[in-house]
Amino acid sequence: MVSLPEALLQERDKRAKWHGIPELLQKLHESSHPNSDLSHTHSVLKELSSLLSMEAMSFVTEDRKSAQESTFPNTYTFDLFGGVDLLVEILMRPTLTMQKKKPQMNDDLVKDCLSVLYNCCICTEGVTKSLAARDDFVLFLFTLMTNKKTFLQTATLIEDILGVKKDMIQLEGIPNLSGLVQSFDQQQLANFCRILSVTISEPDVRNDDKHTLLAKNAQQKRNASPSRAEVNQVTLLNIPGFIERLCKLATRKVSEATGASNFLQELEDWYTWLDNALVLDALMQMATEEAEHSSTESSDESSMATSPLRHRLPQSMKIVHEIMYKVEVLYVLCVLLMGRQRNQVHKMLAEFRLIPGLNNLFDKLIWRKYTSSDHVVHGQNENCDCSPEISFKIQFLRLLQSFSDHHENKYLLLNSQELNELSAISLKANIPEVEALVNTDRSLVCDGKKGLLTRLLAVMKREPPDSSFRFWQARAVESFLRGATSYADQMFLLKRGLLEHILFCIIDSGCKSRDVLQSYFDLLGELMKFNIDAFKRFNKYVSTDDKFQTFMTQINSSLVDSNMLVRCIVLSLDRFESQTEDVKVVEVLSECCLLSYMARVENRLSFLFRLVNVINVQTLTQENVSCLNTSLVVLMLARRRGKLPFYLNTLREKEYAEKYPGCLLNNFHNLLRFWQRHYLNKDKDSTCLENSSCIPFDYWKETVSVLLGSDRTSLCAIASYIDEPFMELDRDLLED
């Protein structure tokens, strides 16, 4: 802080309308030297704070305008004259002194320093980034979280800083992280999860499906070692008791209200003005302190219940307070479930009974009966700007999806009676029980009359056609079915009317949401695959030509969305055609309109042509790569029956008819070359392709090699069907 003559400063201040801020900063600087009386420092800071807080309040209340749209002259002046740097220096001074006896700072002074810094961050562009660039200060802030009185202000500031920090912080660099986390009460731990979510999520994870696989593969080559997010995940898992405490937080019940009030009525009327969970914490803290104050004055419990703030804290606010905590906790658990330590996390979540705990909360908190479900459609972004209850439901469904996906612990979503039902289905069908079902620890499953999966099906049927919840609900149920196809799992859901519900949504409900329709197509594919009873039920529901045409129109309107269902039909048809000794199968094969449609070779070829045409190497993403695998399934089944040359020749004829010879087959050739690089990578898990198709992965590899063969005399090589002038139009597309 450069010292300026007082008269000059006052004169310039009047003209520039600095409101005395430079002069106050000079006083703050002079009064904050080591060994000085910090009470004077605090009084100067309070004066400065009053000049800045109104600007911060206007920022928060005026529809959260960006700093560029509104000007905050006082905050700008404060930063211009070194106020931000001075506050950082004041806060960190006790850690920098060489004295044996460290100077102690008043908690209220620390709180006010942090609050002013936060106000500067939200009002003045660049302040947050400059603070984020100071690793020493960021790590220092974590040490302030040990003090319960300054925790909220510290957490708010850290969250803001980490949100703009270019390089992700390494949690193992935080002094005594394990001790810090273990010192938190449950309320503090929940808020700490808000901070952790930034440190354990991969950058751009929210747009994962939109990134091209070419770009992602190239990035993986460059970053062979574990990312910072992955290292941070391991650091958290190594903190004793961390996951157990998160499970307790996720499953604890909302405490009963101690007073009734109309101060705040419906949840929807007030959630919009809340900045974040920390605002609620401040209110809860005030109410708790008020209650403690009352209880020290009188032993009569009624005095606490009737204290003003306690009385004005309605049950609805308590519920949403708990919901906002749970959103953060479930997000952290969800990220850990999708990480490299997935099996370790799964084992702990099962052991600490997360799923039974969530099942017990389902009706009273997660999907309360009176909650309106008439919501606008929300996207797939879990951080969409919506109410706490909507965020909570979506985060809950994402957790179920991650928990069930390709993991034997999925049976924990059922109760004991439902597990017995699965066993009975297998026994009746004379098929062995799934090993994962036999190995399920019955002491860890859901209790009560219904398991979590059954409860989810019930609310799924009640959702409006275009509700965004339908997308996440369908994804969660589909993940239960994914992996090796289980007849018993399918029948369990078919008996509960799931197939009819899906068909109603696709054909009769007027649903227009592409996200919802895609999730229902995928779910329908998993539900019907290889299941003759499902195809019989389908034919009973789709009983007229009009219904069937509507269904096919929905499929054909976007093959990227529906191709997994197309794959299911093709695979099922192939299996049924080899089971002609079974009277039931023969009957359904002859009567089912869907199987009859796919049995016509021209229809399969039409799908194949469009599947190859809708993608190319440059546009392949995690979302549409399934189109390439579905086209491969069609050709593998053709190869098994000796029909591969016929299919390839038909594609060639189609090219010429459309007047672009070589274009389609060259594109397919490039796609298959990419497929080899992508799926034959040593880190790539190929079991998903094998389990979902019941075709050995060796046959996948072999078929791709045959198709990519360079021998132009081979009738099974794509090269044989591309005339010489049109060969290798895009030879170097895949070159590095």
Side-chain angles (χ1 to χ4, degrees):
M1 180 92 188
V2 179
S3 189
L4 296 172
E6 192 173 330
L8 175 63
L9 205 55
Q10 288 174 349
E11 177 59 33
R12 188 75 185 89
D13 190 298
K14 285 179 185 174
R15 278 193 270 161
K17 295 182 179 177
W18 286 335
H19 299 105
I21 291 172
E23 198 174 344
L24 284 168
L25 278 172
Q26 204 161 36
K27 287 180 183 175
L28 186 67
H29 176 68
E30 289 164 0
S31 68
S32 62
H33 287 303
N35 305 319
S36 59
D37 179 9
L38 292 179
S39 62
H40 182 53
T41 305
H42 197 185
S43 64
V44 177
L45 182 62
K46 281 182 175 177
E47 206 173 332
L48 278 164
S49 180
S50 65
L51 290 166
L52 306 179
S53 58
M54 290 306 293
E55 290 186 347
M57 186 61 70
S58 69
F59 174 83
V60 172
T61 54
E62 289 177 23
D63 298 325
R64 297 190 60 80
K65 289 180 181 175
S66 65
Q68 295 93 313
E69 290 175 30
S70 306
T71 51
F72 302 102
N74 289 354
T75 312
Y76 175 77
T77 305
F78 180 83
D79 181 43
L80 181 68
F81 281 87
V84 170
D85 292 334
L86 179 56
L87 288 189
V88 170
E89 185 188 326
I90 291 170
L91 281 169
M92 292 188 71
R93 185 168 291 146
T95 67
L96 303 174
T97 181
M98 300 299 288
Q99 298 171 11
K100 285 185 179 179
K101 189 181 178 183
K102 305 284 185 186
Q104 289 294 310
M105 281 183 67
N106 180 293
D107 289 339
D108 290 330
L109 174 58
V110 173
K111 281 167 74 170
D112 284 345
C113 284
L114 293 169
S115 296
V116 171
L117 284 175
Y118 179 69
N119 289 347
C120 291
C121 284
I122 62 174
C123 291
T124 305
E125 191 181 10
V127 169
T128 318
K129 286 180 181 176
S130 67
L131 291 176
R134 293 193 55 171
D135 287 342
D136 59 336
F137 179 63
V138 177
L139 291 174
F140 164 75
L141 283 176
F142 280 95
T143 66
L144 293 183
M145 297 182 87
T146 55
N147 186 340
K148 193 165 185 175
K149 291 182 179 176
T150 59
F151 177 88
L152 285 176
Q153 288 76 12
T154 311
T156 313
L157 184 59
I158 292 176
E159 187 186 342
D160 215 52
I161 289 172
L162 294 186
V164 301
K165 194 166 171 57
K166 283 185 178 178
D167 53 329
M168 187 179 289
I169 191 171
Q170 287 192 282
L171 292 178
E172 59 188 4
I174 297 171
N176 190 21
L177 175 67
S178 182
L180 176 68
V181 172
Q182 288 172 316
S183 74
F184 292 154
D185 60 26
Q186 290 295 76
Q187 182 170 307
Q188 290 172 315
L189 183 61
N191 273 317
F192 191 58
C193 284
R194 286 180 71 89
I195 294 166
L196 290 179
S197 63
V198 184
T199 69
I200 60 174
S201 304
E202 297 291 355
D204 300 319
V205 71
R206 292 168 188 82
N207 297 317
D208 206 36
D209 284 352
K210 306 299 181 239
H211 284 177
T212 67
L213 293 180
L214 265 182
K216 287 170 80 171
N217 287 355
Q219 189 175 7
Q220 282 173 355
K221 277 186 184 178
R222 289 193 299 270
N223 306 329
S225 56
S227 66
R228 281 200 171 185
E230 289 169 334
V231 172
N232 284 342
Q233 290 174 23
V234 174
T235 302
L236 286 181
L237 290 173
N238 288 335
I239 297 174
F242 177 69
I243 295 295
E244 183 176 8
R245 290 187 68 191
L246 289 195
C247 288
K248 285 180 178 174
L249 256 174
T251 58
R252 74 176 182 185
K253 294 175 182 177
V254 182
S255 56
E256 293 298 316
T258 53
S261 172
N262 294 321
F263 177 59
L264 294 172
Q265 294 170 354
E266 288 301 307
L267 172 92
E268 288 79 12
D269 293 337
W270 61 268
Y271 78 77
T272 48
W273 60 261
L274 293 173
D275 186 27
N276 57 34
L278 298 166
V279 177
L280 275 166
D281 272 331
L283 291 167
M284 290 293 283
Q285 194 174 28
M286 286 166 66
T288 306
E289 286 168 1
E290 180 71 25
E292 287 169 357
H293 178 67
S294 299
S295 61
T296 56
E297 290 182 353
S298 166
S299 59
D300 181 7
E301 287 185 12
S302 64
S303 67
M304 185 178 87
T306 56
S307 65
L309 279 170
R310 198 68 166 180
H311 183 70
R312 286 161 51 194
L313 197 69
Q315 177 71 353
S316 60
M317 180 176 273
K318 281 189 164 189
I319 289 170
V320 178
H321 186 252
E322 191 66 24
I323 282 173
M324 292 178 88
Y325 276 165
K326 285 176 169 32
V327 170
E328 309 303 337
V329 173
L330 292 183
Y331 180 78
V332 169
L333 290 176
C334 197
V335 172
L336 293 174
L337 260 180
M338 295 188 290
R340 291 195 183 189
Q341 278 67 42
R342 187 184 186 213
N343 287 332
Q344 181 190 352
V345 176
H346 244 293
K347 188 177 178 182
M348 289 192 278
L349 297 188
E351 181 187 343
F352 301 132
R353 295 180 55 82
L354 174 70
I355 297 301
L358 291 174
N359 186 46
N360 292 334
L361 286 180
F362 190 86
D363 290 334
K364 290 182 179 176
L365 185 66
I366 300 172
W367 233 279
R368 290 180 289 159
K369 287 187 172 70
Y370 63 82
T371 303
S372 167
S373 58
D374 189 19
H375 301 303
V376 295
V377 176
H378 297 274
Q380 297 178 32
N381 181 357
E382 72 280 357
N383 290 329
C384 71
D385 185 18
C386 52
S387 81
E389 288 211 295
I390 293 175
S391 297
F392 183 38
K393 287 184 170 77
I394 290 174
Q395 205 54 59
F396 163 76
L397 293 169
R398 290 181 76 247
L399 179 83
L400 287 195
Q401 179 188 353
S402 304
F403 188 85
S404 303
D405 196 18
H406 292 92
H407 203 282
E408 59 187 23
N409 274 356
K410 69 181 185 178
Y411 290 111
L412 298 182
L413 269 65
L414 309 182
N415 65 18
S416 290
Q417 295 93 325
E418 291 163 348
L419 291 176
N420 292 339
E421 185 182 336
L422 285 179
S423 301
I425 292 169
S426 298
L427 184 65
K428 185 179 178 183
N430 198 27
I431 56 175
E433 283 187 77
V434 177
E435 190 179 347
L437 175 61
V438 176
N439 294 337
T440 298
D441 184 344
R442 297 283 179 123
S443 69
L444 301 177
V445 301
C446 293
D447 40 30
K449 292 181 180 178
K450 292 180 182 178
L452 202 45
L453 181 65
T454 310
R455 291 183 194 278
L456 178 57
L457 288 175
V459 297
M460 185 175 176
K461 292 178 182 179
R462 295 200 296 264
E463 287 298 323
D466 280 310
S467 165
S468 62
F469 294 141
R470 278 186 182 271
F471 171 85
W472 297 106
Q473 289 164 342
R475 282 278 175 261
V477 178
E478 184 213 344
S479 69
F480 180 81
L481 290 170
R482 289 178 73 181
T485 303
S486 164
Y487 174 80
D489 292 356
Q490 291 173 324
M491 292 308 299
F492 179 85
L493 296 172
L494 285 169
K495 285 168 70 176
R496 284 157 176 77
L498 180 59
L499 183 132
E500 290 78 8
H501 165 70
I502 297 170
L503 292 175
F504 172 79
C505 184
I506 294 172
I507 299 170
D508 299 315
S509 73
C511 176
K512 297 288 190 293
S513 166
R514 292 314 314 173
D515 283 338
V516 171
L517 285 170
Q518 181 189 23
S519 65
Y520 271 61
F521 284 134
D522 291 349
L523 175 54
L524 188 61
E526 291 295 338
L527 186 62
M528 294 180 68
K529 193 191 301 172
F530 305 132
N531 191 311
I532 198 70
D533 297 283
F535 279 89
K536 189 172 184 177
R537 281 174 174 253
F538 175 94
N539 213 48
K540 187 176 179 182
Y541 187 93
V542 186
S543 54
T544 66
D545 283 344
D546 283 349
K547 279 193 170 186
F548 184 68
Q549 288 308 318
T550 302
F551 181 76
M552 293 310 300
T553 299
Q554 291 279 47
I555 284 183
N556 288 318
S557 64
S558 176
L559 270 184
V560 171
D561 297 332
S562 63
N563 83 88
M564 294 297 287
L565 176 58
V566 171
R567 190 192 306 183
C568 143
I569 303 165
V570 170
L571 284 165
S572 301
L573 175 68
D574 184 75
R575 177 175 291 190
F576 297 154
E577 287 178 338
S578 67
Q579 297 173 334
T580 49
E581 73 286 349
D582 188 320
V583 177
K584 185 179 180 181
V585 170
V586 172
E587 180 190 337
V588 176
L589 267 175
S590 63
E591 292 177 357
C592 180
C593 53
L594 188 58
L595 290 171
S596 300
Y597 181 88
M598 199 59 80
R600 293 196 284 276
V601 69
E602 64 271 21
N603 290 332
R604 290 204 297 279
L605 282 163
S606 172
F607 278 123
L608 177 63
F609 180 79
R610 285 179 292 145
L611 284 166
V612 176
N613 228 357
V614 81
I615 48 175
N616 60 57
V617 172
Q618 280 75 28
T619 60
L620 272 184
T621 65
Q622 200 64 48
E623 187 179 14
N624 64 25
V625 71
S626 56
C627 292
L628 174 56
N629 288 322
T630 299
S631 64
L632 258 177
V633 165
V634 173
L635 291 175
M636 282 190 291
L637 298 180
R639 181 176 169 233
R640 273 183 179 174
R641 299 186 178 216
K643 296 287 181 68
L644 187 54
F646 171 74
Y647 276 65
L648 293 175
N649 190 55
T650 306
L651 288 179
R652 180 180 182 276
E653 289 175 357
K654 182 75 172 171
E655 280 185 332
Y656 273 86
E658 300 282 343
K659 295 188 169 50
Y660 50 86
C663 193
L664 180 85
L665 288 172
N666 270 303
N667 180 46
F668 192 42
H669 195 273
N670 277 320
L671 285 165
L672 293 180
R673 285 166 62 204
F674 173 83
W675 188 95
Q676 281 186 323
R677 289 192 180 192
H678 186 68
Y679 284 102
L680 303 188
N681 185 313
K682 67 180 187 304
D683 296 328
K684 195 70 186 175
D685 184 8
S686 57
T687 54
C688 291
L689 288 179
E690 189 168 307
N691 286 339
S692 67
S693 64
C694 287
I695 298 173
F697 188 64
D698 283 343
Y699 196 75
W700 285 78
K701 292 192 291 185
E702 193 182 299
T703 303
V704 172
S705 293
V706 166
L707 287 165
L708 290 177
S710 55
D711 181 5
R712 286 176 59 79
T713 63
S714 166
L715 294 178
C716 292
I718 292 173
S720 305
Y721 298 88
I722 306 175
D723 292 338
E724 193 67 45
F726 308 114
M727 275 294 290
E728 298 183 324
L729 292 176
D730 299 304
R731 176 191 293 254
D732 57 0
L733 273 179
L734 295 176
E735 301 307 319
D736 292 328

